[in-house]
Amino acid sequence: MDHIEDHEGFVDNRDFVMGSSNLYEKEDHEDEEPFLPPQTPESMLTIGMEWPNIFECRSFMRNFAITQRFTFRQKKNDSKRIRYVCKERPSCPWWVFITRLNDGHTMTLKNGNFIHECSGKNGTLNRNANAIWVAKEIENLIRDASTTKPMQISNIVYRRFGVRVSYYIAWNARNMVMEKKVGSYDKGYALCPELCIQIQKSNPSSIATCSREDALDEFTKGCRPILGLDGCFLKGKYGGQCLSIISLDANNGLFPIAVFLCRSKCQATWIKFLILVQGQLTLHPSKLTFISDRQKGLVEAVLQVFPHSNHRFCFRHMYKNFKQLYRGTYLVTLAWNVSKAYKKFVMKFFLDKLGVAEPDAKTWLEREPYESWYRSYFDASTKCEHVTNNFPESFNNWIFKIRDKPLNKMVERLNLMQMTLIKARERGGTKAYRLDTEFRTPSTRGRVRGRGRAEEPSQLPQSSTPISTQPSQQSQQSQPSQPFQPSHSTGQHFRTPRQDPNA
Ligand SMILES: [Zn+2]
């Protein structure tokens, strides 16, 4: 510093900058030989040495490993005993065994082999140097955590202890130091709603509001505008119902939008629920299509809250009623084919066949609005061909195991399940897009190229007899064993003829 104070010695400004910048030059110099603290007697291990409690003991051992430049693995680490071995084991015989004394807190080194046969690596990453350790060590070293960058922390740790810590560990350590000073960042978010309430209470004319709108971004950006509505019973002591709105993403994966826990399923509760999510759902750029099993009050509720949306009904429920009136596999299969035909003339073809076999059955089917029941009349903007309400029912089965939990635990568990689901999908998606297209199924390839299923190559029916098989109730119920990817259809096969088979 002497030469800086003596400014007479500088020839021009550049010399001054060179002279003063060396104040920080050493700190930024990464390849410098790390400074290690002198070896104190405490840094040597001896049998019988003691620590006042397990936390002191763990902290000592971690420091010991880092300053001695080796990494240990924890073979046993509970409240009573600790057994560490060298990471290079079995080639390195180093190990220690520490146990708790009868007083219940003092830890003592019982046994061990303190000779390493591995070569400690200088300046490399040491897994023992985790964020908690870094935070503890740098807390007194850095003057102001808010202005210290993670890379600077990494350099400080390297100079002081000779270990490199990753940017991520340094970033985490910096946050820990900051949180000690300014409080928890997570809590800051959690307390925001309460803060708004308190502000409005203490000063009623204030404007204070908080909302989280990003949660449904994935619906508006990544899902088709199809929304399955369904409800299921809660199985806890006090019963109740869980109403849910479920959408499908581009890969036909379930996308839970919202659940509503209430006493009973009726028009009033559906209206209340739909009004709550109305603002978010209408952000979707396309016209919304609801699909439900025409529960009591639900149709009216949807009509009231979303008057301009489409509403489809689950054909399986219609089929149940149909089956009671008109018996026989042939009739029922024809009815399913009417519903599942992709093109209007094919639908008409099967409807006429049904009319020949049983005129009353044709009339019975025809009195329902076509655009709510028959695929060929669906609004194509939805890009979704489902004629059944299977996917919301898959959701009900997915949450089957948590439906008997107390309310708070159920919501917490559901939240966790959803996060796991979305994260797994995100990981799978990244992997799938890396894979060559030959590994994809034809339908996935079609979707990736932006083609609908209806445009896939089709074949003529082999005979005039419908080729579909009847779905059983069992197959519906067994489906939730894989709730994440509900099947396209109820297990029936239908091929769209390119020309009228009568011709
Ligand atoms: Zn070793």
Side-chain angles (χ1 to χ4, degrees):
M1 292 295 280
D2 289 341
H3 62 283
I4 297 172
E5 282 159 12
D6 182 18
H7 60 87
E8 297 291 323
F10 294 117
V11 176
D12 58 13
N13 189 40
R14 207 172 65 178
D15 276 357
F16 174 75
V17 171
M18 295 283 280
S20 55
S21 68
N22 70 358
L23 284 174
Y24 300 99
E25 198 180 1
K26 273 188 182 172
E27 272 189 13
D28 298 336
H29 195 32
E30 289 177 11
D31 299 325
E32 196 185 342
E33 186 61 28
F35 163 76
L36 282 177
Q39 300 279 310
T40 53
E42 288 80 35
S43 64
M44 305 308 289
L45 296 178
T46 47
I47 287 174
M49 66 191 295
E50 291 182 353
W51 297 270
N53 55 44
I54 194 160
F55 307 108
E56 292 274 333
C57 170
R58 284 184 187 136
S59 164
F60 175 91
M61 287 307 296
R62 192 172 289 277
N63 263 322
F64 178 78
I66 291 164
T67 51
Q68 298 293 314
R69 299 177 194 182
F70 75 97
T71 308
F72 60 71
R73 270 187 293 135
Q74 303 172 350
K75 279 280 174 192
K76 213 177 258 307
N77 186 8
D78 56 37
S79 59
K80 285 181 184 168
R81 71 220 119 151
I82 290 172
R83 181 188 287 274
Y84 292 154
V85 298
C86 181
K87 189 186 150 228
E88 302 297 321
R89 200 171 177 89
S91 66
C92 175
W94 184 94
W95 62 278
V96 291
F97 180 63
I98 298 161
T99 184
R100 199 169 73 180
L101 289 181
N102 285 338
D103 64 3
H105 50 86
T106 309
M107 304 297 291
T108 180
L109 204 162
K110 265 270 186 280
N111 207 348
N113 180 353
F114 308 139
I115 313 276
H116 279 284
E117 282 180 16
C118 62
S119 52
K121 287 170 192 165
N122 187 10
T124 50
L125 293 170
N126 188 329
R127 267 176 47 193
N128 294 143
N130 58 14
I132 300 169
W133 176 81
V134 173
K136 201 175 145 223
E137 293 300 326
I138 58 163
E139 200 179 348
N140 300 321
L141 288 179
I142 53 176
R143 277 164 294 183
D144 187 4
S146 59
T147 53
T148 312
K149 289 174 182 165
M151 273 325 284
Q152 288 171 324
I153 290 174
S154 178
N155 289 338
I156 291 171
V157 172
Y158 179 62
R159 278 200 313 279
R160 189 98 171 77
F161 301 98
V163 282
R164 273 262 167 258
V165 290
S166 66
Y167 181 90
Y168 183 67
I169 286 180
W171 183 84
N172 257 335
R174 177 181 171 273
N175 282 346
M176 284 175 190
V177 175
M178 281 296 287
E179 284 195 338
K180 268 196 171 181
K181 287 180 182 167
V182 299
S184 164
Y185 290 104
D186 294 356
K187 254 190 191 169
Y189 285 98
L191 291 177
C192 234
E194 182 59 32
L195 179 68
C196 291
I197 294 169
Q198 292 301 331
I199 288 172
Q200 276 168 343
K201 254 189 199 173
S202 57
N203 192 356
S205 60
S206 312
I207 301 169
T209 171
C210 81
S211 64
R212 283 189 57 190
E213 294 186 346
D214 55 343
L216 278 176
D217 259 14
E218 280 147 358
F219 168 65
T220 51
K221 287 174 188 162
C223 288
R224 286 166 283 173
I226 182 88
L227 295 158
L229 306 176
D230 203 9
C232 61
F233 286 99
L234 299 179
K235 298 184 184 295
K237 185 178 170 188
Y238 296 108
Q241 297 249 5
C242 171
L243 311 183
S244 54
I245 303 181
I246 312 296
S247 185
L248 289 175
D249 66 14
N251 212 23
N252 265 332
L254 285 188
F255 189 84
I257 304 257
V259 292
F260 187 81
L261 307 176
C262 56
R263 169 60 47 201
S264 64
K265 200 160 45 174
C266 62
Q267 188 175 344
T269 42
W270 273 115
I271 289 177
K272 210 187 244 181
F273 182 24
L274 291 175
I275 285 176
L276 273 176
V277 290
Q278 186 189 27
Q280 298 292 328
L281 296 185
T282 44
L283 289 179
H284 200 289
S286 305
K287 187 176 178 181
L288 294 175
T289 295
F290 292 91
I291 181 161
S292 71
D293 44 13
R294 210 160 52 159
Q295 287 157 358
K296 201 178 146 198
L298 176 55
V299 183
E300 295 79 18
V302 171
L303 203 63
Q304 188 179 326
V305 185
F306 296 95
H308 304 296
S309 62
N310 301 315
H311 199 151
R312 289 181 198 171
F313 305 122
C314 175
F315 192 79
R316 193 154 35 82
H317 291 80
M318 183 131 153
Y319 141 79
K320 270 186 196 164
N321 298 336
F322 182 89
K323 200 169 62 169
Q324 285 169 357
L325 294 169
Y326 309 101
R327 295 184 176 272
T329 316
Y330 181 62
L331 293 185
V332 170
T333 313
L334 277 177
W336 269 106
N337 284 348
V338 168
S339 163
K340 300 184 87 177
Y342 283 98
K343 294 186 177 168
K344 284 179 186 168
F345 76 85
V346 181
M347 180 259 182
K348 274 266 182 279
F349 165 74
F350 286 120
L351 202 59
D352 289 344
K353 272 180 84 99
L354 189 69
V356 172
E358 182 66 64
D360 287 351
K362 185 187 173 190
T363 325
W364 192 87
L365 283 183
E366 274 180 332
R367 55 186 192 148
E368 300 289 345
Y370 281 14
E371 60 282 358
S372 291
W373 295 97
Y374 308 126
R375 187 179 278 168
S376 47
Y377 284 83
F378 282 168
D379 182 357
S381 67
T382 313
K383 309 268 186 262
C384 176
E385 77 279 34
H386 285 260
V387 291
T388 59
N389 202 20
N390 277 2
F391 62 95
E393 283 175 22
S394 292
F395 175 80
N396 291 344
N397 280 283
W398 186 49
I399 62 168
F400 182 79
K401 277 185 183 170
I402 59 168
R403 271 154 54 180
D404 54 354
K405 303 270 187 293
L407 223 55
N408 63 329
K409 288 192 178 162
M410 181 191 160
V411 172
E412 209 170 283
R413 182 83 194 133
L414 178 66
N415 208 5
L416 196 68
M417 284 163 72
Q418 289 183 12
M419 284 194 287
T420 315
L421 169 68
I422 301 295
K423 191 70 201 167
R425 201 170 285 163
E426 191 185 308
R427 243 182 278 133
T430 330
K431 199 174 160 194
Y433 278 90
R434 274 201 310 257
L435 285 175
D436 200 66
T437 46
E438 68 182 283
F439 292 111
R440 293 194 185 131
T441 58
S443 59
T444 318
R445 274 207 296 274
R447 275 196 294 273
V448 169
R449 285 198 299 265
R451 282 173 39 177
R453 192 183 159 94
E455 288 173 72
E456 282 172 30
S458 52
Q459 293 173 18
L460 280 169
Q462 282 149 358
S463 67
S464 58
T465 316
I467 49 168
S468 56
T469 53
Q470 208 47 53
S472 64
Q473 196 58 35
Q474 276 73 28
S475 75
Q476 302 293 333
Q477 296 303 324
S478 64
Q479 201 184 327
S481 59
Q482 283 190 327
F484 307 124
Q485 298 287 338
S487 63
H488 266 296
S489 59
T490 49
Q492 296 182 326
H493 301 284
F494 184 82
R495 292 180 180 142
T496 316
R498 284 199 180 255
Q499 63 189 49
D500 195 336
N502 278 342

